[in-house]
């Protein structure tokens, strides 16, 4: 799974969590509406409830998709740690060469200054 | 049984009397039926009838011994006889005070009636300050009285088992009571709803915060997962309170279980939450080792620590604490975690390499000469020239190293090859330091082990049929440390060779030095090129338009110098006395001390050969020898051009030319010996000095005229 799809999947799961928070808020709103001494306002409660059901449906759909598309657990078959160490060694080599090149450049500059 | 019934009956009668009173006062008649023996009822009835206070007669049952139990075998049991005291107590109990109680009630009733009458009378008579609550107070008092009687009755019923309550009916509720009950329950329900609504909203807020925190954490974890192996301990998750993630820095896909690679304690890094809920790493406390390579010099405090620069980054980040972290964004924090993990990964590798080195050091093999061991420190001798050490340093143990970074920088950058940076040491160091560069040696060491051990293991496990990589195979078995030590020895030696060659090339003007890269750490090769000026005769009739070059190749393998040159004189031909125009390439060995001389001889012989060729093409009769060229002038006289080789030849280089006159046909050995003797008289031999090749060529052409014109001119 490349990083793009990984990020998108993470984003979808985060959206699910946000929807759950919203669902809780709606439930709280409905309860508070019921506790209204003058009785609940029907259209408000209806709106809340319909939004609630819609969100629950979205959550279910998304979670089902995500669970289906989650890849099975492969035990790190493409471990690149060896290549990583090769790169580290190459980094050191490049640093060393740069040092030498800087030295050469200084020598050249010194030569030009002297003449 | 009689006594018990008397007791019951007395209390029951009291209760009944009270009930009657209740009925009269409140119009309220709780009905309950009494079930008891008929004998008691008889008594009750009597008391009811005798309510006006006359004598009441109580009739006891006959004092007959009644049977209590009959057993199966026919034995009869009678209740035990009461003692005398018990009898008296029973008699006392039999006294019925019901009438007294009754008398009180009507008295009270009368009193009440009187008081009511008086109250009403007083109310009628005096209409001043009537207390409107008076009737309510009286009602409450009566209610209190009745309640206490009922409670007494209930307690008695509970205590006795002969009388039970058969049933009770609830009085019908008044409508206002119904409504108030409904109102109370409704209010309670609304309160519950309100609480529930508040609870939902609170938990929504808390969940939102938690979601945001976890989003940061898991976002960072996914970014780390793209580069590192993230695993999870499910068992430890519930115990530790965090999710139990950790990062595994050990590559276990390659090795068989019997191999030497074990995961060190550093190779798992726990992932934790920091105070803000963001991802943080629990780096191993003994933090990170660095593999250090260096040359042991005379004074032990010049041990260079160049590569500690990056290793102190971790200690810096740990020491600076929380203040740094708050200021950075999530991005930077993830990058910082990545670099921390890089450090730890590199340290794991360094440790593995050091272990391998240690294992190899104690296998006796070529080139490995261990002179000292300490914990995490190994000292080796390279070829009696230098002493090196390889050690595994822990970066956190020396905190003062952090402060010494500036001095480290200075010492680390001094190139050791020409020693030019060590100003103060030049006075007492006569020869330059031949040691190779420390950093490049360290890199070579790591690269060797990495390539040979790790990459090979990986390729072996990945595709067993694949051929070997193009990397350097170790020459002696598979001992990498020996290979490394011998590489160092080779470098030191070849540096000396290079000095000699540079000396030669700078002293002789027509010799150039070319270096060739060999992709092998134990082989070096150079070429000395003699640029020969273009022959004037060749222009036009031969296709050699370019300058001719004579090449001499110098190859150093380990510490063995091989010289290969075209036009090198055939050794066999030398002995035979004939000079053969052999253009074969000969190869021979040499040692360092003789290198300069031999190369000069080689160059000189190449020049002689060239001159000989030119002379022959021009038409002179010439013969050549190892280092001399002889021309036949008339009458058997020979004129020789002899090269003299001297390594400390001064400014002009190592080859000086002599013009020699000789007579006779013999150009055998004695002539050469005579030439070389220094006591030859000055008239026979003239030093021409160091000549460039153009001048030599011109000289040759002059000699042509001499040869053809006869012996006439002065030299």
């Amino acid at each position: 799974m490349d990083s793009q799809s990984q990020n998108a999947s993470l984003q979808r799961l985060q959206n699910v969590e946000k929807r759950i928070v919203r669902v809780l808020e709606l439930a709280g709103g409905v309860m508070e509406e019921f506790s209204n001494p003058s009785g609940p306002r029907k259209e408000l409660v209806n709106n809340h409830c319909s939004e609630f059901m819609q969100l629950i449906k979205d959550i279910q759909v998304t979670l089902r998709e995500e669970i289906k598309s989650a890849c099975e657990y492969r035990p790190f078959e493409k471990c690149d740690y060896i290549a990583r160490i090769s790169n580290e060694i190459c980094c050191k080599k490049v640093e060393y060469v740069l040092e030498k090149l800087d030295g050469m450049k200084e020598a050249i500059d010194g030569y030009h200054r002297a003449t | 049984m009689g006594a018990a019934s008397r007791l019951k009956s007395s209390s029951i009668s009291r209760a009944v009397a009270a009930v009657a009173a209740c009925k009269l006062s409140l119009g309220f008649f709780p009905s309950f039926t009494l079930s008891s023996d008929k004998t008691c009822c008889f008594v009750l009835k009597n008391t009811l009838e005798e309510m006006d206070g006359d004598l009441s007669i109580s009739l006891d049952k006959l004092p007959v011994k009644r049977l209590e139990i009959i057993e199966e075998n026919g034995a009869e049991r009678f209740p035990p006889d009461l003692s005398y005291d018990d009898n008296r107590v029973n008699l006392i109990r039999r006294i019925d005070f019901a009438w007294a109680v009754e008398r009180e009630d009507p008295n009270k009733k009368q009193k009440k009636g009187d008081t009511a009458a008086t109250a009403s009378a007083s109310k009628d008579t005096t209409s001043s300050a009537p207390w409107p609550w008076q009737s309510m107070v009286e009602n409450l008092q009566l209610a209190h009285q009745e309640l206490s009687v009922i409670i007494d009755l209930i307690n008695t019923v509970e205590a006795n088992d002969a009388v039970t309550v058969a049933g009770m009916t609830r009085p019908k509720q008044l409508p206002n009571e119904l409504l108030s009950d409904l109102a109370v329950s409704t209010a309670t329900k609304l309160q519950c709803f309100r609480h529930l609504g508040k609870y939902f909203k609170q938990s929504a807020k808390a969940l939102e915060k938690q979601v945001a925190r976890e989003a940061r954490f898991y976002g960072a974890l996914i970014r780390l997962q793209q580069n590192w192996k993230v695993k999870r301990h499910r068992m430890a998750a519930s115990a530790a309170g965090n999710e139990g993630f950790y990062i595994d820095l050990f590559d276990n896909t390659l090795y068989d279980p019997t191999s030497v690679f074990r995961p060190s304690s550093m190779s798992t890094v726990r992932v934790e939450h920091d105070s803000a809920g963001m991802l943080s790493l629990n780096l191993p406390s003994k933090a990170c080792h660095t593999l250090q390579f260096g040359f042991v010099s005379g004074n032990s405090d010049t041990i260079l620590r160049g590569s500690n620069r990056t290793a102190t980054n971790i200690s810096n980040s740990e020491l600076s604490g929380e203040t740094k972290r708050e200021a950075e964004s999530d991005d930077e924090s993830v990058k910082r975690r990545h670099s921390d993990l890089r450090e730890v990964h590199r340290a794991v590798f360094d440790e593995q390499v050091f272990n391998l080195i240690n294992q190899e050091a104690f296998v006796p093999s070529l080139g490995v000469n261990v002179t000292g061991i300490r914990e995490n420190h190994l000292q080796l001798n390279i070829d009696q020239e230098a002493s090196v050490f390889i050690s595994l340093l822990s970066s956190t143990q020396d905190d003062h190293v952090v402060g010494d970074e500036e001095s480290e920088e200075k010492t680390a950058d001094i190139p050791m090859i020409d020693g030019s940076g060590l100003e103060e040491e030049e006075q007492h160091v006569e020869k330059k330091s031949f040691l190779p560069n420390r950093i490049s040696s360290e890199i070579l060491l790591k690269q060797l082990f990495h390539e040979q051990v790790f990459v090979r293991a990986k390729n072996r496990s990945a595709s067993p049929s694949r051929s070997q990589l193009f990397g350097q195979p170790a020459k002696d078995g598979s001992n990498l440390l020996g290979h490394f030590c011998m590489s160092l020895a080779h470098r030191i030696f070849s540096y000396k060779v290079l000095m000699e060659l540079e000396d030669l090339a700078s002293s002789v003007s027509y010799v150039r030095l070319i270096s060739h890269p060999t992709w092998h750490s134990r082989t070096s090769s150079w070429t000395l090129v003699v640029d020969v000026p273009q022959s004037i005769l060749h222009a036009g009739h031969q296709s050699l338009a370019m300058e001719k070059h004579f090449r001499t190749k110098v190859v150093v393998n380990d510490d063995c110098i091989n010289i290969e040159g075209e036009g090198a004189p055939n050794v066999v031909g030398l002995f035979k006395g004939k000079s053969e125009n052999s253009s074969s390439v000969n190869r021979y060995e040499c040692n360092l001390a003789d290198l300069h001389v031999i190369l000069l001889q080689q160059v000189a012989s190449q020049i002689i050969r060239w001159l000989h060729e030119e002379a022959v093409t021009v038409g002179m009769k010439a013969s050549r020898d190892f280092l001399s060229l002889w021309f036949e002038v008339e009458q058997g006289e020979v004129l020789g051009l002899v090269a003299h080789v001297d390594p400390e030849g001064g400014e002009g280089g190592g080859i000086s030319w002599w013009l020699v006159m000789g007579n006779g046909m013999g150009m055998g050995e004695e002539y050469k010996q005579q030439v070389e003797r220094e006591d030859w008289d000055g008239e026979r031999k003239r030093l021409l000095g160091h000549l460039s090749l153009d001048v030599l060529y011109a000289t040759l052409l002059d000699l042509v005229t001499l040869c053809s014109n006869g012996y006439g001119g002065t030299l």
Side-chain angles (χ1 to χ4, degrees):
Chain A
M1 221 201 290
D2 59 322
S3 66
Q4 199 64 29
S5 61
Q6 252 186 356
N7 279 342
S9 164
L10 187 69
Q11 200 61 40
R12 282 196 288 270
L13 290 173
Q14 283 178 349
N15 283 343
V16 163
E17 282 180 327
K18 287 197 186 105
R19 280 189 207 126
I20 292 176
V21 169
R22 178 83 191 121
V23 153
L24 265 184
E25 280 173 7
L26 288 173
V30 166
M31 282 298 141
E32 280 180 357
E33 194 55 36
F34 280 164
S35 72
N36 197 348
S38 59
R41 286 166 285 181
K42 272 219 166 43
E43 56 291 338
L44 193 72
V45 170
N46 278 342
N47 287 343
H48 277 299
C49 288
S50 54
E51 198 182 339
F52 181 93
M53 295 309 290
Q54 181 64 34
L55 285 173
I56 292 282
K57 192 175 80 126
D58 289 343
I59 288 169
Q60 241 188 342
V61 161
T62 314
L63 279 181
R64 204 177 290 137
E65 269 176 28
E66 288 301 311
I67 289 172
K68 265 195 287 186
S69 72
C71 64
E72 56 194 49
Y73 180 66
R74 277 187 228 110
F76 302 108
E77 60 193 15
K78 287 194 203 144
C79 179
D80 66 342
Y81 283 173
I82 300 283
R84 184 172 273 280
I85 294 286
S86 300
N87 284 344
E88 297 268 349
I89 295 180
C90 287
C91 262
K92 290 256 166 61
K93 288 184 192 170
V94 168
E95 278 172 20
Y96 177 67
V97 168
L98 278 177
E99 229 177 88
K100 289 289 173 188
L101 286 175
D102 286 339
M104 281 164 68
K105 185 167 185 299
E106 272 177 32
I108 293 172
D109 289 342
Y111 177 73
H112 282 309
R113 264 183 268 122
T115 54
Chain B
M1 206 180 287
S5 64
R6 287 298 304 156
L7 189 60
K8 278 179 258 182
S9 63
S10 59
S11 54
I12 289 169
S13 57
R14 266 209 322 272
V16 171
V19 161
C22 291
K23 180 182 175 186
L24 289 173
S25 59
L26 289 180
F28 172 87
F29 190 67
S31 65
F32 44 87
T33 56
L34 303 171
S35 62
S36 59
D37 320 339
K38 292 212 167 67
T39 52
C40 297
C41 290
F42 176 68
V43 173
L44 276 172
K45 281 190 200 137
N46 282 344
T47 52
L48 277 172
E49 282 159 11
E50 306 260 310
M51 265 171 62
D52 51 356
D54 290 337
L55 277 178
S56 66
I57 300 171
S58 66
L59 299 173
D60 286 340
K61 287 204 268 291
L62 295 175
V64 171
K65 277 217 176 200
R66 308 227 171 178
L67 198 59
E68 201 173 21
I69 297 172
I70 278 195
E71 292 183 7
E72 286 177 351
N73 50 6
E76 300 171 343
R77 282 197 200 278
F78 295 98
D81 284 329
L82 295 173
S83 60
Y84 179 67
D85 287 324
D86 283 335
N87 265 334
R88 280 177 62 111
V89 166
N90 286 340
L91 285 173
I92 289 168
R93 278 196 193 128
R94 277 167 55 193
I95 300 174
D96 185 19
F97 290 100
W99 59 274
V101 174
E102 280 176 37
R103 209 175 48 183
E104 283 176 18
D105 279 335
N107 285 341
K108 268 199 212 156
K109 220 175 45 178
Q110 281 175 4
K111 275 192 213 150
K112 276 184 216 155
D114 290 338
T115 52
T118 52
S120 55
S122 63
K123 198 168 101 179
D124 292 334
T125 53
T126 60
S127 59
S128 63
W131 192 28
W133 305 109
Q134 185 65 32
S135 59
M136 193 170 128
V137 167
E138 286 159 11
N139 289 337
L140 284 173
Q141 278 175 348
L142 289 172
H144 180 259
Q145 201 179 6
E146 288 155 19
L147 279 173
S148 60
V149 167
I150 292 170
I151 288 171
D152 263 346
L153 172 66
I154 291 170
N155 286 340
T156 314
V157 166
E158 266 183 340
N160 298 318
D161 51 3
V163 174
T164 57
V165 176
M168 271 202 278
T169 63
R170 201 193 158 130
K172 188 162 174 260
Q173 280 193 325
L174 295 172
N176 61 340
E177 282 170 1
L178 278 171
L179 282 175
S180 59
D181 277 350
L182 191 60
V184 164
S185 63
T186 312
T188 319
K189 272 191 199 153
L190 287 185
Q191 186 74 14
C192 284
F193 279 144
R194 210 173 296 129
H195 280 157
L196 199 55
K198 233 183 271 179
Y199 175 71
F200 278 147
K201 292 231 158 123
Q202 264 174 7
S203 35
K205 274 200 202 87
L207 187 63
E208 195 171 1
K209 273 194 208 115
Q210 168 120 1
V211 160
R213 265 168 83 108
E214 285 191 355
R216 279 179 80 205
F217 179 78
Y218 282 106
L221 192 61
I222 276 204
R223 285 175 70 176
L224 284 186
Q225 196 180 25
Q226 289 166 8
N227 288 316
W228 308 96
K229 292 198 280 188
V230 176
K231 295 184 180 169
R232 188 170 178 183
H233 275 311
R234 286 199 185 261
M235 293 301 126
S238 47
N242 57 359
E243 293 86 0
F245 288 111
Y246 68 97
I247 294 181
D248 186 14
L249 291 172
F250 183 70
D251 195 355
N252 53 359
T253 61
L254 322 174
Y255 312 122
D256 48 59
T258 62
S259 77
V260 299
F261 303 112
R262 295 181 311 275
S264 73
S265 60
M266 279 197 289
S267 46
T268 61
V269 175
R270 277 208 317 270
V271 172
E272 294 176 339
H273 297 269
D274 68 357
S275 57
M278 185 52 178
L279 188 146
S280 76
L281 296 172
N282 188 5
L283 295 168
S285 58
K286 60 177 173 134
C288 299
H289 300 299
T290 323
L291 185 72
Q292 196 74 38
F293 170 83
F295 294 99
V296 176
S297 57
N299 32 354
S300 59
D301 55 2
T302 58
I303 292 180
L304 307 174
R305 294 170 190 268
S307 64
N308 257 357
R309 261 172 282 156
T310 50
T312 53
N313 279 345
I314 292 187
S315 48
N316 273 339
S317 67
E318 297 294 308
L319 291 170
S320 62
E322 297 291 326
T323 54
K324 238 196 219 180
R325 285 199 203 120
E326 284 165 11
E328 65 189 11
S329 70
D330 283 355
D331 226 7
E332 288 171 17
S333 135
V334 171
K335 281 186 190 154
R336 194 183 285 268
R337 299 287 92 76
H338 271 302
S339 57
D340 287 345
L341 285 170
R342 264 182 72 189
E343 282 301 318
V344 182
H345 187 52
R346 186 201 45 75
V348 169
F349 171 70
D350 279 353
E351 203 177 353
Q352 284 173 336
V353 168
F354 189 72
N355 287 338
L356 287 170
I357 289 173
N358 269 333
Q359 280 173 3
E360 291 205 350
F362 298 105
V363 172
S365 66
L366 188 63
V368 176
N369 191 0
V370 178
T371 57
I373 321 167
R374 279 206 299 272
E375 186 195 353
N376 284 345
H377 184 95
L378 188 67
Q379 208 155 312
L380 301 162
N381 212 7
I382 306 280
D383 211 21
Q384 292 121 29
E385 290 280 342
S387 197
V388 301
F389 70 89
I390 304 173
S391 70
L392 199 65
L393 291 179
S394 175
S395 62
T396 56
Q397 68 188 5
D398 302 328
D399 274 340
H400 64 269
V401 169
V402 179
D404 285 346
E405 261 190 63
E406 301 148 346
S407 58
E408 285 175 14
E409 296 266 358
K410 276 187 254 158
T411 53
D413 284 344
I414 293 177
M416 301 249 323
I417 284 188
D418 55 2
S420 57
L422 299 165
E423 299 290 332
E424 64 276 11
E425 284 187 17
E426 267 185 6
Q427 287 135 22
H428 52 267
V429 170
E430 287 181 355
K431 62 173 188 177
K432 301 176 201 162
S433 166
F434 293 116
L435 298 175
N437 188 288
R438 188 198 73 84
I439 299 178
S440 65
S441 307
E442 195 175 295
I443 293 176
L444 174 67
L445 183 64
K446 289 187 188 174
Q447 159 108 16
L448 266 181
F449 277 94
H450 176 68
E451 226 177 78
Q452 298 296 311
V453 180
F454 292 78
V455 177
R456 288 263 173 94
K458 177 170 185 146
N459 290 332
R460 205 179 301 130
S461 68
S463 53
S465 63
R466 203 161 151 187
S467 58
Q468 267 196 350
L469 295 178
F470 61 84
Q472 308 174 12
K475 280 189 181 167
D476 42 337
S478 62
N479 191 314
L480 297 168
L481 190 60
H483 180 59
F484 174 69
C485 291
M486 293 178 73
S487 302
L488 283 183
H490 169 79
R491 276 203 197 163
I492 295 173
F493 184 74
S494 68
Y495 186 68
K496 293 178 192 162
V497 169
L498 180 62
M499 288 289 108
E500 294 282 332
L501 292 175
E502 281 183 348
D503 227 5
L504 193 155
S506 54
S507 61
V508 181
S509 58
Y510 40 84
V511 170
R512 276 188 293 141
L513 177 66
I514 301 178
S515 299
H516 300 291
T518 62
W519 304 109
H520 196 282
S521 59
R522 278 155 64 179
T523 308
S524 313
S525 109
W526 298 271
T527 303
L528 287 169
V529 179
V530 177
D531 295 322
V532 166
Q534 197 170 16
S535 161
I536 54 174
L537 295 179
H538 287 166
H541 81 82
Q542 271 196 11
S543 57
L544 288 171
M546 52 194 160
E547 281 185 0
K548 233 173 133 179
H549 308 283
F550 287 118
R551 294 178 195 273
T552 309
K553 196 163 169 198
V554 179
V555 174
V556 181
N557 282 318
D558 278 332
D559 55 354
C560 178
I561 308 177
N562 286 323
I563 301 180
E564 207 177 292
E566 43 181 58
N570 199 338
V571 176
V572 175
L574 266 179
F575 289 145
K576 280 189 192 157
K578 288 192 294 185
S579 61
E580 292 178 355
N581 193 9
S582 61
S583 59
S584 65
V585 173
N586 282 327
R587 189 185 295 179
Y588 50 97
E589 287 190 8
C590 169
N591 60 354
L592 186 61
D594 300 331
L595 181 66
H596 201 155
V597 172
I598 287 186
L599 284 175
L600 284 174
Q601 286 177 349
Q602 174 82 12
V603 168
S605 74
Q606 284 173 345
I607 296 172
I608 295 284
R609 193 171 75 90
W610 165 64
L611 287 175
H612 182 248
E613 272 179 22
E614 295 296 317
V616 164
T617 52
V618 168
M620 296 195 314
K621 275 190 271 188
S623 67
R624 78 175 171 95
D625 212 341
F626 178 41
L627 282 180
S628 47
L629 188 60
W630 300 95
F631 305 102
E632 245 183 53
V633 290
E634 59 184 47
Q635 293 150 21
E637 298 257 332
V638 288
L639 195 62
L641 196 58
V642 176
H644 181 73
V645 162
D646 187 8
E648 287 97 27
E651 290 179 6
I655 306 179
S656 52
W657 299 92
W658 297 76
L659 203 56
V660 170
M661 269 183 44
N663 46 7
M665 302 296 288
M667 283 190 286
E669 282 298 315
E670 67 255 24
Y671 253 129
K672 296 186 204 65
Q673 285 166 15
Q674 281 173 343
V675 163
E676 283 165 16
R677 254 185 297 159
E678 289 183 3
D679 56 353
W680 195 263
D681 51 358
E683 291 180 4
R684 293 295 208 163
K685 133 179 132 162
R686 186 67 64 92
L687 172 66
L688 298 176
H690 306 283
L691 304 175
S692 75
L693 294 185
D694 294 321
V695 173
L696 265 178
Y697 192 63
T699 313
L700 180 72
L701 295 181
D702 288 345
L703 288 176
V704 167
T705 60
L706 194 64
C707 289
S708 54
N709 290 345
Y711 177 60
T714 53
L715 290 172

